[in-house]
Amino acid sequence: MTDPPFVPYSIPVLPEAEMRLRGQIFCDLMSRRRSVRHFSSKPVPKELIELAILTAGTSPSGAHRQPWKFVAVSDSELKTRIRIAAEEEERESYEHRMPPEWLAAIEPMGTDWQKPYLETVPWIVVVFEETFGIDANGESIKNYYVKESVGMACGLFAAALHNMGLATLTHTPSPMQFLTEILGRPENEKPYILFPIGYPADDAVVPNLQRKSLEDLAVWNPET
Ligand code: IYR
């Protein structure tokens, strides 16, 4: 028996008041998400990381290729190797590769090449994009809209972590090739983003940023 190509689908019809309430609650929840750079070393159960990965895996993807792999690291030695390699690249970037305009743009974030949190956090999840797929016969197959698909999965991942009361950061050491080597990933996987995950440190601070208002975010029925 082969699976049917299409199956029935429906979602519950909710009263409008409940739709609005749920929308408001979710918006309020997500409004409290911040990128965190000061973490506690308090352990986080593996099951919570599994749930966030499963949630990320619900993302839409081009041709449903699901072109992502989530590589989860809790091993201290691996975390140390990642920190050393990331700081080596970041130091080069901050001191030589990033132009003054870029350094000025990220100045409000208070970042520099030092990434001690890569050793502090209980978990690092490195997301890899599958630049091409491998079919059942071991032949390579084309993937579609890979960056868009992986980007959406990462958004869901960050939302899932926040919903569980965990903090993270979208960290993009550049270049990221060292992650392929340290984590022993195959040639069809390319490092996309790195998420340090844990609880915020007791003395954690975040930049005092403002988000765009609805007026700045959206345009309705533009006249042409
Ligand atoms: N990748 C570096 C630099 C950096 C770049 C941007 I754009 C930021 O928003 C923040 C930092 C780093 O992770 O420090």
Side-chain angles (χ1 to χ4, degrees), residues 37 90 94 98 102 106 109 111-112 115 117 171-173:
R37 294 182 172 85
E90 289 290 87
Y94 275 84
M98 292 158 79
W102 190 354
I106 61 171
M109 274 91 201
T111 61
D112 59 30
K115 310 294 173 189
Y117 51 76
H171 178 41
T172 50

Side-chain angles (χ1 to χ4, degrees), residues 131-185:
T131 49
F132 57 93
I134 312 227
D135 72 11
N137 305 317
E139 301 287 332
S140 60
I141 52 168
K142 205 174 144 36
N143 282 339
Y144 303 94
Y145 297 102
V146 172
K147 298 238 180 261
E148 293 84 347
S149 304
V150 182
M152 285 189 279
C154 288
L156 290 173
F157 185 68
L161 292 171
H162 178 67
N163 183 47
M164 289 188 285
L166 291 170
T168 192
L169 164 71
T170 48
H171 178 41
T172 50
S174 175
M176 279 196 276
Q177 203 50 40
F178 67 87
L179 292 165
T180 298
E181 284 129 46
I182 293 175
L183 301 172
R185 301 315 302 160

Side-chain angles (χ1 to χ4, degrees), residues 77-214:
E77 233 168 81
L78 273 179
K79 284 188 279 188
T80 298
R81 288 178 63 196
I82 290 172
R83 176 186 177 180
I84 290 169
E87 287 187 334
E88 201 174 301
E89 291 294 1
E90 289 290 87
R91 184 168 199 165
E92 191 58 25
S93 288
Y94 275 84
E95 291 181 355
H96 302 294
R97 292 194 281 242
M98 292 158 79
E101 190 186 9
W102 190 354
L103 291 171
I106 61 171
E107 202 270 329
M109 274 91 201
T111 61
D112 59 30
W113 62 266
Q114 294 180 82
K115 310 294 173 189
Y117 51 76
L118 293 174
E119 281 185 292
T120 316
V121 284
W123 290 96
I124 292 174
V125 170
V126 183
V127 184
F128 286 79
E129 56 174 280
E130 293 185 351
T131 49
F132 57 93
I134 312 227
D135 72 11
N137 305 317
E139 301 287 332
S140 60
I141 52 168
K142 205 174 144 36
N143 282 339
Y144 303 94
Y145 297 102
V146 172
K147 298 238 180 261
E148 293 84 347
S149 304
V150 182
M152 285 189 279
C154 288
L156 290 173
F157 185 68
L161 292 171
H162 178 67
N163 183 47
M164 289 188 285
L166 291 170
T168 192
L169 164 71
T170 48
H171 178 41
T172 50
S174 175
M176 279 196 276
Q177 203 50 40
F178 67 87
L179 292 165
T180 298
E181 284 129 46
I182 293 175
L183 301 172
R185 301 315 302 160
E187 60 155 1
N188 65 321
E189 292 180 12
K190 188 172 158 219
Y192 181 86
I193 217 161
L194 184 159
F195 290 98
I197 301 163
Y199 297 93
D202 287 339
D203 58 354
V205 291
V206 294
N208 187 15
L209 307 177
Q210 305 303 320
R211 292 196 165 109
K212 283 186 176 180
S213 65
L214 185 58

